[in-house]
Amino acid sequence: GVYTVTATDPLAGCSATATTNVVVNALPTATASSNAPVCVGLTINLSTPTVSGATYAWTGPDGFTSSIRNPSISNAQTVNDGSYTVVVTSSAGCSNTSSVTINVNNAPVASASSNAPV
């Protein structure tokens, strides 16, 4: 809205007025999500809602960074296990942050045996 200030000199009785317009911008939506948990070798899909004109900055384990809104990590390994954070910055310069935890699970070991020959 518009704010007005008036300064008055009490000795001389003179005054001056100035106004300014203040704009308060809403924070952009930042809601990090994923397809976790995933097994080793599968793809991790990260996502956050679209914010028109925004930029995205993802960080995560093992030096992961991305400026894509919905990045993927193919051939996931246990080093990709951990917290991923996205910073969404609107065209007005306002930022919001959200994190999601990814669990990368080792595939189970399968073995088979029998009592053959019978």
Side-chain angles (χ1 to χ4, degrees):
V2 177
Y3 287 81
T4 303
V5 62
T6 301
T8 304
D9 181 341
L11 299 177
C14 301
S15 65
T17 302
T19 62
T20 189
N21 188 37
V22 176
V23 176
V24 178
N25 295 303
L27 289 176
T29 302
T31 307
S33 60
S34 74
N35 62 328
V38 298
C39 291
V40 166
L42 296 180
T43 299
I44 297 170
N45 295 311
L46 300 167
S47 64
T48 192
T50 300
V51 175
S52 181
T55 60
Y56 305 89
W58 285 92
T59 57
D62 199 36
F64 175 79
T65 62
S66 178
S67 60
I68 299 170
R69 182 175 65 88
N70 295 331
S72 295
I73 303 168
S74 58
N75 192 25
Q77 300 299 311
T78 55
V79 296
N80 303 122
D81 195 272
S83 180
Y84 289 78
T85 301
V86 63
V87 178
V88 180
T89 304
S90 71
S91 57
C94 300
S95 296
N96 204 353
T97 304
S98 180
S99 296
V100 62
T101 299
I102 303 291
N103 293 311
V104 179
N105 300 313
N106 284 312
V109 176
S111 63
S113 63
S114 75
N115 62 344
V118 289

